[in-house]
Amino acid sequence: MEEKELEDYKKSIIENMKSVGTYKDEFMDIINSLAKIYYDYNDACNKFRQSGSNFMIKHTNKSGATNIVKNPYYLVIEGLRQNILSYSRELGLTPAGLKKINDKELIKN
């Protein structure tokens, strides 16, 4: 993993959190995790493109039968998208996540 890319993702996440007012030092573990997920997502997208960008591919199983299946790279991309959305929501980087955080703040005050 290239450290510069990872640091760029972290920096971007922190800047976005600061711009919506949700940044706290205590969130660095989840920020680091989200940065790694972004890195993995970018890597999977590159490999998907290199493999021909086909959503469906032919797969021959060990008994010799050939079936049409979802491209494994695309399956990884789909999962990583869900993780990005989930982590971003927790950090207040989606409209729903930010609303939830703001509503909690209103209740506290």
Side-chain angles (χ1 to χ4, degrees):
M1 174 182 331
E2 191 172 315
E3 287 300 315
K4 182 181 180 335
E5 272 185 90
L6 198 54
E7 287 303 314
D8 289 344
Y9 287 124
K10 281 194 255 187
K11 189 178 188 182
S12 177
I13 294 164
I14 291 169
E15 286 173 7
N16 290 338
M17 290 178 70
K18 286 180 178 179
S19 74
V20 296
T22 61
Y23 177 77
K24 291 186 180 182
D25 288 335
E26 295 85 359
F27 297 154
M28 279 311 296
D29 285 341
I30 195 166
I31 291 168
N32 288 330
S33 295
L34 181 56
K36 175 75 169 82
I37 294 168
Y38 271 118
Y39 179 88
D40 291 343
Y41 175 77
N42 188 47
D43 187 48
C45 286
N46 287 334
K47 288 178 179 171
F48 176 69
R49 278 189 291 279
Q50 290 169 1
S51 75
S53 298
N54 297 311
F55 294 98
M56 305 300 285
I57 61 170
K58 290 181 182 178
H59 171 72
T60 304
N61 62 25
K62 57 185 170 185
S63 65
T66 299
N67 301 301
I68 303 295
V69 297
K70 273 191 176 180
N71 186 325
Y73 288 122
Y74 191 70
L75 290 173
V76 169
I77 289 168
E78 285 180 325
L80 291 169
R81 282 182 181 152
Q82 289 299 317
N83 288 342
I84 288 170
L85 182 60
S86 177
Y87 279 63
S88 295
R89 188 180 305 119
E90 288 299 313
L91 294 173
L93 295 175
T94 66
L98 184 58
K99 181 180 181 331
K100 185 176 174 183
I101 289 170
N102 287 339
D103 287 350
K104 283 183 182 178
E105 287 299 314
L106 285 175
I107 292 170
K108 280 173 59 176
N109 295 329

